[in-house]
Amino acid sequence: MGAGNWGRNLIRNFYELEALAGVAEVNPELRSKVAAHYPEIPLYDKFEQVLNTDVSAVVIATPAPSHFQMADAALKAGKHVFVEKPMTLRTNEARQLAEYADEQSLILMVGHLLLYQPAISWMRDYLATGKAGQVLHVAARRANLGRVRREENVWWSFAPHDVSVVLDLLGNPQLIGVDASGHAMLQPGIEDDVHVHLQFARGQTAHIHCSWYWPLLERNTVVIAEKQMLVYDEVAQQVTIYYKGVDGELNNRDEGSETVSVAATEPLRIECQHFQGLHCHGSTSAIGWMEWGSGGGDFGKSNGGFPRLTFLFTSPLMWMKEQRLGRARKFGTFPMS
């Protein structure tokens, strides 16, 4: 569903996985482009046409305001659903979809691409060894002079990636506080630059900065731990371990750094394979609810390089729109094919 800027990447990956049964796109020009690249693939000009086919799963890559309506219709038609982030624009809508998928034993998966990035998988596993010590703080920046949207602010557009990574690397601690601020420079009421500071019960903190009105292309994640510091440069696809810190006497310690080589596998391909494996094998085991702030969960573990806990729904997005904490998160633990 959707053959726009991101939808065409999903189309390519599912086609190469021999899993593409058709493409639905309302824009005639975009449909023509799909037809030129994939002449043998059925095309639909209406979403409802797909629901009447015997296809078992749908992938939704349309503008965010349409996500709830389309995902709801697909689930009620008995389809497994992969929907790009953000899952919905309201907490109650996301909860409604998750509950229905549970009741019907259907897969409902949200695209959190960075969790499938090999570098993030490596950092998750490395931190789990304890070599870096306890993680104290994670800072993420996603900024660029990028594509400005009219229907959502930069937090909704960019932050789901970094929220998922922060929670993953911190080991899913209990959230106790949020301090958010944004600046709408280009359009009234739609923030172009957003800073969010998070506080967790174990004393851990995180800071996320998102901007699409920024002179430099910056996508990085910094992990501050007791013994070491890790920096992931998403643009260069490079992880660096810094053997530095401050000792008990407040003296600086600097023992150099090391650059880590990680696999160059395309994360979107891994994510698409994951969804394909889930709905093809019919596994919906161990699906349940976890409330924000409840802690727990089999977090931080991996299976064959994949994130073992797959985010199906994250609601920190509600902080900016509703000025409150979204409390519910749907999660599932699945065997990997």
Side-chain angles (χ1 to χ4, degrees), residues 27-322:
N27 185 312
E29 183 179 346
L30 292 178
R31 279 202 312 275
S32 296
K33 290 181 179 180
V34 174
H37 284 91
Y38 312 98
E40 75 278 24
I41 298 298
L43 296 177
Y44 306 92
D45 59 4
K46 294 181 180 178
F47 165 67
E48 292 76 15
Q49 294 171 327
V50 177
L51 303 184
N52 294 324
T53 69
D54 61 358
V55 65
S56 62
V58 300
V59 176
I60 299 172
T62 55
S66 68
H67 285 184
F68 171 71
Q69 181 180 1
M70 296 182 74
D72 183 59
L75 289 170
K76 288 178 179 176
K79 316 294 187 186
H80 300 295
V81 174
F82 175 103
V83 56
E84 271 301 336
K85 56 80 183 168
M87 180 183 184
T88 66
L89 298 185
R90 300 187 65 83
T91 305
N92 64 313
E93 293 176 344
R95 187 179 288 111
Q96 180 179 329
L97 294 179
E99 288 176 344
Y100 186 82
D102 256 354
E103 293 168 359
Q104 302 299 317
S105 296
L106 293 169
I107 298 295
L108 175 61
M109 177 174 165
V110 174
H112 286 290
L113 185 65
L114 271 190
L115 293 183
Y116 296 85
Q117 180 64 256
I120 296 297
S121 297
W122 184 92
M123 291 174 69
R124 178 193 311 117
D125 293 343
Y126 182 80
L127 293 172
T129 68
K131 293 179 182 178
Q134 181 186 356
V135 178
L136 305 174
H137 179 76
V138 177
R141 170 172 285 171
R142 187 167 301 276
N144 189 21
L145 188 61
R147 179 168 171 253
V148 178
R149 299 179 182 272
R150 297 183 183 276
E151 65 274 5
E152 62 194 50
N153 63 27
V154 71
W155 174 257
W156 283 69
S157 185
F158 287 9
H161 293 301
D162 301 297
V163 170
S164 64
V165 169
V166 163
L167 294 173
D168 196 12
L169 296 181
L170 287 178
N172 192 37
Q174 181 182 0
L175 179 66
I176 61 173
V178 179
D179 184 11
S181 63
H183 188 187
M185 296 174 276
L186 303 175
Q187 305 171 83
I190 299 179
E191 291 80 5
D192 308 292
D193 189 279
V194 173
H195 288 264
V196 174
H197 187 75
L198 311 177
Q199 293 178 290
F200 300 95
R202 296 194 298 238
Q204 297 167 304
T205 58
H207 186 88
I208 300 174
H209 173 217
C210 298
S211 179
W212 54 35
Y213 200 34
W214 197 255
L216 304 175
L217 173 60
E218 297 182 75
R219 298 177 191 158
N220 53 62
T221 303
V222 177
V223 177
I224 307 297
E226 291 177 312
K227 303 175 184 178
Q228 300 170 2
M229 302 179 184
L230 278 64
V231 176
Y232 168 44
D233 184 336
E234 189 180 333
V235 178
Q237 280 303 305
Q238 179 175 292
V239 177
T240 303
I241 304 173
Y242 291 91
Y243 301 97
K244 60 171 59 177
V246 178
D247 63 24
E249 300 299 321
L250 303 184
N251 296 312
N252 288 358
R253 171 183 54 82
D254 190 344
E255 299 169 359
S257 63
E258 175 186 359
T259 300
V260 179
S261 297
V262 294
T265 309
E266 182 184 7
L268 184 57
R269 174 59 59 87
I270 300 173
E271 186 177 44
C272 291
Q273 287 175 321
H274 187 184
F275 179 65
Q276 182 185 23
L278 292 179
H279 80 77
C280 285
H281 291 87
S283 173
T284 57
S285 61
I287 296 178
W289 285 94
M290 183 191 300
E291 293 294 322
W292 280 99
S294 68
D298 194 10
F299 222 80
K301 295 187 178 180
S302 63
N303 184 353
F306 294 82
R308 187 165 186 268
L309 187 144
T310 300
F311 288 111
L312 296 186
F313 152 43
T314 55
S315 54
L317 302 171
M318 308 307 158
W319 295 331
M320 296 304 298
K321 282 285 186 179
E322 300 183 14

